[in-house]
Amino acid sequence: MWRSYSSKLAILRPSAQLFLRPSFESYHHGLMVRYFSTTPESTDPVNWIQSGSAVQSFGSQVTSANAFDLSSLAAASILKAKQMADLSKRYGRCYWELSKARLSMLVVATSGTGYILGSGSSIDYLGLCCTCAGTMMVAASANSLNQIFEVNNDAKMNRTRFRPLPSGRITMPHAVTWAASVGVTGTALLACQANVLAAGLAASNLFLYAFVYTPLKQIHPVNTWVGAVVGAIPPLLGWAAASGEVSLNGMLLPAALYFWQIPHFMALAYLCRKDYADGGFRMFSLADASGRRTALVALRNCLYLLPLGYLSYIGGITSGWFFVESTLLALAITSTAASFYLNRTTKNARKMFRASLLYLPVFMCGLLLHRLSGNEQSVIEMGVEVTELAIAEQKRKRAVVDKQARPPVSYASIAPFPFLPAPSYSSS
C-alpha cells in the first residue's frame, strides 16, 4: 500500500512542478523589477522599502566605481609626474657636469668682482646680475665644448671616464645643442644688458678656450699658459661691463688670476701625471720626471703675486690694509711653493694645491672689503695733485732764490780763493 502511494506521488510530481514553477518565476521576476526600478510598483510598504534599499545599493556600487576610476587616474598622474621629475633630474645632472658648474661659478665670481671694482661709487645690481648670468652661460658653453672635443680622451682617464659623454648618459647631438644654445644666449645677454665690449671679450674667451686651448692640450705644454690667459679674461670682462673700457687699474685682478693659475695647475698636473699621460695630454710635468722645473715655474709665478697689493694701493683701488694682507697671503703661498721646490713629493704638491685654492677667494674678498669707492679715489687723486703742486711750488721758489744776483765778492770764499774771508751781509 505504501509502495502504491509512493508511485502515485512520483507520477504526480512533474505536474506539480509544472503547476508551481510559473508562480515562482513570476515572483522572482517581480522582485528583480523592483530591485532595479527607481519608482515603486505598488503601494505595499514592504515592496517600497525593499526597492529603496536596492537603489541605494546600486548607487553605492556606481559611486565606488567612479571613485576607483578617479584613484586610478590620480595614480597614473602621480606616476607620470614622477617619471618627468626623474627625467628632469637626470638631464639636470648631465647639464651640471657638462658645464663643470663649480668651475663656472668660480669664473662668475671673478667676473662679478671685476664688475664691482670697475663700478666706482655706485653699483648697478641689475647689471651685475646680468653680467654674472651671461658669464655663467658662456663658461658653461666653453666647458661643454671642451668635453665634446675630448670625449675619447676622457674615456681613458679614471678622473673623467664617468662624465656624461664618455659614460653614454647623454648623446653627442644633445650636448652640442646645449653648448650652442647657452653660448649664444649668454653672449646676447651681455651685449644687450652690458655692452658690446663685454660681449666681445666673452665670445673671444669662448673661442680661445674651446678652439685653441682644448686642441693645444694634445700638442704642446704651452697650453698651460694659454689656459692662464683664458682664466684672466673674466675679471676684465666684468670691469669692462661696468666701466665700458679697459684701463690699467682693471688689469690688476686679471694679473692675479694669470699668475695664480700657474702654481695651481702645476700642482694639479704633478698630482695627476699618470691620468694626463693615459689621456694623451701634453702637460709640462710629463716632460719633467724629477719635477724640478715644474716646481720652479710654480715658485716663480708665486713671487709675481707679491707686488700686486702694493700696485692696488698706489693705483687707488684699495686702501693700505689690503697691501699688507695681500703681501702676507702671497708669502704664504710662496712658502708652499718653496717647500715643493726643495722637496718634490706628492704631499708638498698637495699642500701647494690647497694653498692655491685658499689664495684666490681670500684675495678677492680682500679686494672687495678694502676697495675704495669713486669718491674716495677722487679725494686721493686730488690729494696727490695738491701734493705735487706744493712740491712744484717749493721747487720754483728755491729756483728763484738761487737765481738772485749776489755781489761779485761773495764768490771770493769759493775755490780757487779759499784764503779770502767770507763776506757778511746784513739781511734787508
Side-chain angles (χ1 to χ4, degrees):
M1 184 177 182
W2 175 255
R3 289 180 180 176
S4 61
Y5 179 78
S6 300
S7 59
K8 291 178 180 180
L9 185 63
I11 294 170
L12 293 173
R13 185 176 297 169
S15 61
Q17 290 177 352
L18 205 66
F19 175 76
L20 294 173
R21 186 171 183 180
S23 62
F24 183 77
E25 288 182 351
S26 63
Y27 169 76
H28 277 277
H29 177 72
L31 186 62
M32 293 298 290
V33 168
R34 293 189 189 98
Y35 185 85
F36 290 101
S37 176
T38 58
T39 59
E41 293 183 352
S42 66
T43 59
D44 187 2
V46 176
N47 292 337
W48 169 250
I49 293 171
Q50 289 179 351
S51 63
S53 62
V55 170
Q56 290 177 358
S57 175
F58 181 74
S60 64
Q61 290 179 0
V62 173
T63 305
S64 62
N66 292 335
F68 177 76
D69 292 340
L70 290 175
S71 62
S72 62
L73 182 62
S77 301
I78 292 173
L79 181 61
K80 187 174 181 181
K82 185 178 180 181
Q83 290 176 350
M84 292 296 294
D86 292 340
L87 190 65
S88 301
K89 184 178 179 180
R90 173 194 168 191
Y91 280 110
R93 183 68 182 175
C94 290
Y95 295 150
W96 177 275
E97 295 181 15
L98 274 176
S99 305
K100 298 181 183 177
R102 288 184 295 178
L103 178 60
S104 297
M105 285 189 286
L106 177 62
V107 173
V108 170
T110 62
S111 177
T113 304
Y115 188 96
I116 294 173
L117 292 176
S119 296
S121 57
S122 61
I123 301 173
D124 181 7
Y125 290 100
L126 177 60
L128 174 62
C129 292
C130 292
T131 300
C132 290
T135 304
M136 183 70 183
M137 292 180 188
V138 175
S141 175
N143 289 321
S144 300
L145 289 173
N146 174 267
Q147 294 185 53
I148 289 169
F149 294 147
E150 294 180 351
V151 58
N152 295 327
N153 304 86
D154 288 344
K156 301 174 184 177
M157 299 170 63
N158 292 328
R159 190 169 59 91
T160 57
R161 62 193 178 94
F162 295 109
R163 285 176 175 176
L165 286 172
S167 62
R169 286 182 288 144
I170 195 170
T171 62
M172 186 69 73
H174 194 153
V176 172
T177 303
W178 159 257
S181 60
V182 293
V184 172
T185 304
T187 306
L189 180 63
L190 288 171
C192 296
Q193 299 297 326
N195 50 57
V196 179
L197 177 59
L201 287 171
S204 62
N205 208 31
L206 171 62
F207 178 83
L208 189 63
Y209 183 80
F211 300 99
V212 178
Y213 166 71
T214 298
L216 199 59
K217 288 167 66 177
Q218 305 177 47
I219 299 173
H220 198 274
V222 76
N223 65 80
T224 302
W225 283 265
V226 176
V229 173
V230 172
I233 290 179
L236 188 63
L237 184 158
W239 182 284
S243 63
E245 61 181 5
V246 175
S247 61
L248 189 61
N249 283 345
M251 299 299 295
L252 176 72
L253 187 55
L257 263 294
Y258 179 85
F259 295 132
W260 165 82
Q261 284 180 95
I262 304 299
H264 172 78
F265 192 76
M266 287 298 169
L268 182 63
Y270 186 85
L271 293 171
C272 303
R273 284 179 295 177
K274 185 180 183 304
D275 256 5
Y276 283 122
D278 293 341
F281 295 117
R282 302 287 300 276
M283 297 303 168
F284 188 80
S285 59
L286 298 182
D288 182 24
S290 65
R292 183 178 179 276
R293 289 191 300 162
T294 302
L296 183 61
V297 169
L299 177 60
R300 184 170 64 243
N301 282 271
C302 285
L303 292 173
Y304 294 154
L305 295 171
L306 286 170
L308 295 181
Y310 178 70
L311 293 176
S312 66
Y313 170 63
I314 65 173
I317 301 175
T318 60
S319 64
W321 285 108
F322 178 73
F323 165 47
V324 177
E325 294 171 2
S326 174
T327 304
L328 294 175
L329 192 61
L331 287 173
I333 190 174
T334 302
S335 65
T336 61
S339 299
F340 178 54
Y341 176 74
L342 295 174
N343 189 13
R344 294 176 294 278
T345 62
T346 302
K347 181 180 179 181
N348 288 334
R350 189 171 287 109
K351 283 183 179 180
M352 184 175 70
F353 180 74
R354 290 173 179 171
S356 67
L357 291 178
L358 183 63
Y359 174 86
L360 187 62
V362 175
F363 183 86
M364 291 194 299
C365 288
L367 272 175
L368 296 177
L369 181 62
H370 299 292
R371 96 177 174 96
L372 300 177
S373 64
N375 296 331
E376 292 172 333
Q377 292 178 11
S378 301
V379 170
I380 291 176
E381 292 174 358
M382 187 180 300
V384 171
E385 291 177 359
V386 169
T387 304
E388 290 177 353
L389 288 175
I391 294 173
E393 184 64 21
Q394 290 178 359
K395 289 182 178 179
R396 187 184 65 79
K397 289 180 178 179
R398 190 178 298 112
V400 170
V401 170
D402 291 340
K403 288 181 180 180
Q404 287 180 352
R406 291 184 293 174
V409 72
S410 64
Y411 297 97
S413 61
I414 304 176
F417 307 104
F419 51 87
L420 293 178
S424 59
Y425 300 97
S426 60
S427 59
S428 58

